[in-house]
Amino acid sequence: MSEASTVRRTYPWGTTINGTQVKFRLMTPADSDAILEFARTLPAEDLMFLRTDITQPETVKNWMNYIKTGRTISIMAEVEGKIAGYASIHLNDALWTRHVAELRVLVGLDFRGLGLGKRLTNEGFGIAKDLGLRKITAQMSTDQRSARGVFEHLGFRPEALLADHVMSRDGQTHDLLIMSYDVVGFSNDSPGRSRGS
Ligand SMILES: CC(C)(COP(=O)(O)OP(=O)(O)OC[C@H]1O[C@@H](n2cnc3c(N)ncnc32)[C@H](O)[C@@H]1OP(=O)(O)O)[C@@H](O)C(=O)NCCC(=O)NCCS
């Protein structure tokens, strides 16, 4: 894990995206039920490729344990008090990859294409910078076609392709694409950020 493990960004903060008021805040174990509720709204294609099955209470419990220990930092986007999406930064235990973290972003179907994934990713970048991380990876199956396009728009570059490396819920194997982003040089200020609202 990173030596400097304090998130300096202030939460919650709010902004309006396409006329919708969105609140960004850090996820806490008290959000477990809301996450399970959010997971139930996800389309079959997303559920097919979930890295961990967040429809299961046990999986969410493990996630919350990582949040408690600081190994995972998750930021939620809320619309009208409900989860619209989240981004998670997963830190590395291994000494020689302590400067690298994985970003996972998930936006609810109703909120896609509005720029929320980009905002959440920016939050993830800011946190990564606060923590002294240098490199962020994002992993997706090559069958998650739009995800690659989105991450390229966000500044990630394809770095590795691992054949038959992931297995979807239905037992089929798929190639895994690892994309990366160099945190050094990222500016911590996201446009339109208004704190404390
Ligand atoms: C990937 C995901 C997070 C994107 O969220 P989103 O809120 O729809 O993304 P945004 O609206 O912020 O779009 C971000 C950028 O990608 C572009 N984009 C959006 N959809 C796209 C698509 N289907 N193909 C290519 N580019 C696309 C946008 O134009 C935007 O680019 P810009 O910054 O140049 O304007 C969302 O689709 C999702 O949750 N997918 C399922 C989970 C997943 O695959 N996660 C990725 C692995 S961690």
Side-chain angles (χ1 to χ4, degrees):
M1 255 184 236
S2 166
E3 290 116 20
S5 54
T6 320
V7 174
R8 289 192 294 269
R9 294 167 86 73
T10 48
Y11 291 101
W13 71 278
T15 190
T16 304
I17 303 177
N18 271 20
T20 305
Q21 184 63 37
V22 184
K23 183 164 112 178
F24 294 90
R25 66 173 177 85
L26 287 170
M27 191 180 280
T28 74
D31 297 311
S32 299
D33 288 343
I35 294 161
L36 288 166
E37 194 183 319
F38 172 70
R40 281 195 287 271
T41 69
L42 293 172
E45 197 205 323
D46 287 359
L47 294 175
M48 186 77 95
F49 289 111
L50 281 179
R51 167 86 173 254
T52 60
D53 189 353
I54 60 165
T55 64
Q56 298 303 312
E58 196 55 32
T59 308
V60 174
K61 194 173 158 196
N62 289 336
W63 178 6
M64 295 307 124
N65 283 336
Y66 283 136
I67 284 181
K68 279 188 217 159
T69 62
R71 189 179 169 189
T72 298
I73 301 108
S74 300
I75 309 101
M76 282 172 31
E78 274 183 330
V79 173
E80 292 175 359
K82 292 201 166 191
I83 302 178
Y86 66 82
S88 283
I89 289 281
H90 300 265
L91 304 179
N92 246 296
D93 277 337
L95 182 68
W96 71 350
T97 47
R98 65 191 183 281
H99 61 300
V100 183
E102 187 191 335
L103 173 72
R104 294 181 210 162
V105 189
L106 190 52
V107 172
L109 198 55
D110 293 345
F111 299 97
R112 291 195 189 159
L114 302 175
L116 199 51
K118 187 175 182 170
R119 298 286 183 131
L120 283 164
T121 301
N122 267 329
E123 293 304 307
F125 289 160
I127 286 172
K129 200 155 190 183
D130 280 356
L131 299 183
L133 297 163
R134 302 211 189 141
K135 180 176 177 179
I136 303 285
T137 61
Q139 306 190 4
M140 62 209 72
S141 155
T142 49
D143 295 270
Q144 290 169 284
R145 292 183 211 293
S146 67
R148 177 180 174 159
V150 172
F151 276 84
E152 275 179 342
H153 273 255
L154 295 170
F156 282 77
R157 293 290 163 253
E159 195 167 306
L161 188 66
L162 306 182
D164 292 318
H165 201 76
V166 290
M167 189 179 279
S168 49
R169 269 192 171 190
D170 57 2
Q172 298 289 314
T173 56
H174 304 262
D175 296 346
L176 178 71
L177 174 67
I178 301 178
M179 301 187 77
S180 70
Y181 182 94
D182 186 1
V183 179
V184 180
F186 166 74
S187 161
N188 237 346
D189 299 316
S190 11
R193 188 176 164 91
S194 65
R195 294 184 182 263
S197 51

